[in-house]
Amino acid sequence: MTSLTAAAPLLDEKVDRQLDERVLHAAEVPWSTVVWNDPVNLQSYVAWVFRRHFGFGESTAHELMMQVHIEGRATLAHGNREHMERHAETMHEYGLWATVEKDDR
Amino acid sequence: MRIAAPTDRKTEPGVVGSVLVEPDEARVLGSLADQLQTLLGDALSAGDVRDTALKRLLPDAYRNDPELADEWRRLSRGGLVDRKIGFARTLSVALQPIAASGQAATISLTFDAALDWVRGIGDVRLVIADRMGITVDGDEGAFSEPGVRDVYELLAWMQDALVQLLDEAQPPGATTDGSLP
């Protein structure tokens, strides 16, 4: 279970901080599915997989594919961990290199 | 080899295209599909995967969290390997009779079969790329046996042609594979 509680807040900060603190249920912690560039799969194939699996339109899928190609990675989805793992597993079925990571907060 | 959309969708319902395969092509591709199944089978028995090609076929889902990565492997690897073996098996089963008979023949593909083909071929390419030492975009690879590059290029052409068939048959968005975006 993830807690946003800081390890040792200074006393005078503590009261203010408590207003924002609560323990998140696992299902509420946002995660993302990331697809990484590889030199093997064709651009047409990667864009098609993005359209087919995530339901993106042609231009969005193309943009994300180009982001993977140029920047080395793109975030394809956000959501709970279980859901992001399913996306990653499906990407692996298609031979794409995908990982799950916790969103920056 | 020739990959074509059906000329008349009414005569063969469910068929999204056909692949004309020469016996030599059937032998090479069939052998690669067989080897892929063996390699994947090794991943199931090995436990700890060391082969870099297998690592690419079955990547860790978590890069910086060994505990989550282990849990993920334990829960998902068996099923994923089984499905990947199934994709390769579809290729082997279709190609074997052509390799055995020595006569070119046309294989009709349903949507599901074409989906197996495009994924099996993609996996074979990943393994060949690893063996050739292709690691970055535009890489020619450091080493390859004669003919391997030709096969790698043929498989690229097949991947692209199959994507076109699948796209024409069932444009993405029309259906999904059961998961929400």
Side-chain angles (χ1 to χ4, degrees):
Chain A
M1 210 60 51
T2 303
S3 162
L4 299 181
T5 310
L10 296 173
L11 271 180
D12 53 350
E13 284 178 8
K14 203 173 176 182
V15 174
D16 283 342
R17 277 173 173 254
Q18 272 172 351
L19 296 173
D20 297 315
E21 283 168 10
R22 71 189 178 95
V23 176
L24 287 178
H25 185 266
E28 295 176 284
V29 178
W31 295 74
S32 50
T33 305
V34 175
V35 170
W36 300 80
N37 189 39
D38 73 66
V40 180
N41 285 304
L42 301 181
Q43 296 189 356
S44 61
Y45 178 68
V46 175
W48 171 76
V49 170
F50 288 175
R51 280 190 289 144
R52 174 170 168 74
H53 178 70
F54 294 101
F56 293 128
E58 218 156 307
S59 62
T60 306
H62 182 80
E63 274 170 32
L64 287 163
M65 178 277 291
M66 287 309 291
Q67 196 185 335
V68 171
H69 184 59
I70 291 163
E71 296 172 24
R73 55 171 278 164
T75 300
L76 272 292
H78 298 277
N80 70 44
R81 186 154 77 89
E82 191 192 345
H83 202 157
M84 296 306 102
E85 287 189 347
R86 285 211 300 277
H87 284 316
E89 188 168 344
T90 306
M91 291 301 101
H92 296 176
E93 274 183 42
Y94 282 104
L96 303 194
W97 177 21
T99 57
V100 176
E101 59 184 49
K102 205 180 285 186
D103 283 351
D104 289 335
R105 292 178 68 86
Chain B
M1 184 167 305
R2 201 165 68 88
I3 297 180
T7 43
D8 183 0
R9 286 182 196 274
K10 283 177 201 133
T11 50
E12 287 186 283
V15 169
V16 299
S18 61
V19 189
L20 173 63
V21 185
E22 300 293 332
D24 286 349
E25 295 166 337
R27 273 190 286 274
V28 172
L29 298 186
S31 163
L32 289 168
D34 291 346
Q35 292 178 59
L36 176 61
Q37 290 171 69
T38 308
L39 190 67
L40 286 163
D42 291 347
L44 280 187
S45 49
D48 183 26
V49 166
R50 288 168 191 276
D51 185 334
T52 47
L54 269 181
K55 283 187 176 177
R56 178 58 188 82
L57 290 177
L58 308 166
D60 278 339
Y62 294 91
R63 277 160 68 93
N64 304 314
D65 192 326
E67 210 173 302
L68 285 180
D70 280 348
E71 183 196 349
W72 152 269
R73 261 196 301 277
R74 216 171 41 246
L75 295 175
S76 76
R77 177 158 287 172
L80 184 58
V81 167
D82 282 347
R83 291 193 293 280
K84 281 183 177 284
I85 288 176
F87 305 153
R89 193 185 298 123
T90 300
L91 281 168
S92 296
V93 167
L95 295 166
Q96 202 277 331
I98 299 173
S101 73
Q103 301 241 311
T106 300
I107 300 168
S108 294
L109 297 179
T110 61
F111 189 87
D112 287 348
L115 208 47
D116 280 6
W117 275 55
V118 82
R119 295 190 278 200
I121 284 166
D123 282 348
V124 170
R125 290 190 81 238
L126 289 172
V127 178
I128 295 179
D130 175 81
R131 302 301 186 237
M132 286 170 66
I134 294 174
T135 53
V136 293
D137 282 339
D139 210 339
E140 296 270 298
F143 27 77
S144 67
E145 294 165 38
V148 170
R149 176 166 306 281
D150 293 342
V151 173
Y152 185 70
E153 296 301 330
L154 172 67
L155 292 170
W157 174 81
M158 289 179 76
Q159 186 178 57
D160 193 51
L162 288 165
V163 164
Q164 282 181 42
L165 278 190
L166 287 161
D167 210 2
E168 285 163 20
Q170 199 171 345
T175 73
T176 68
D177 26 18
S179 39
L180 300 165

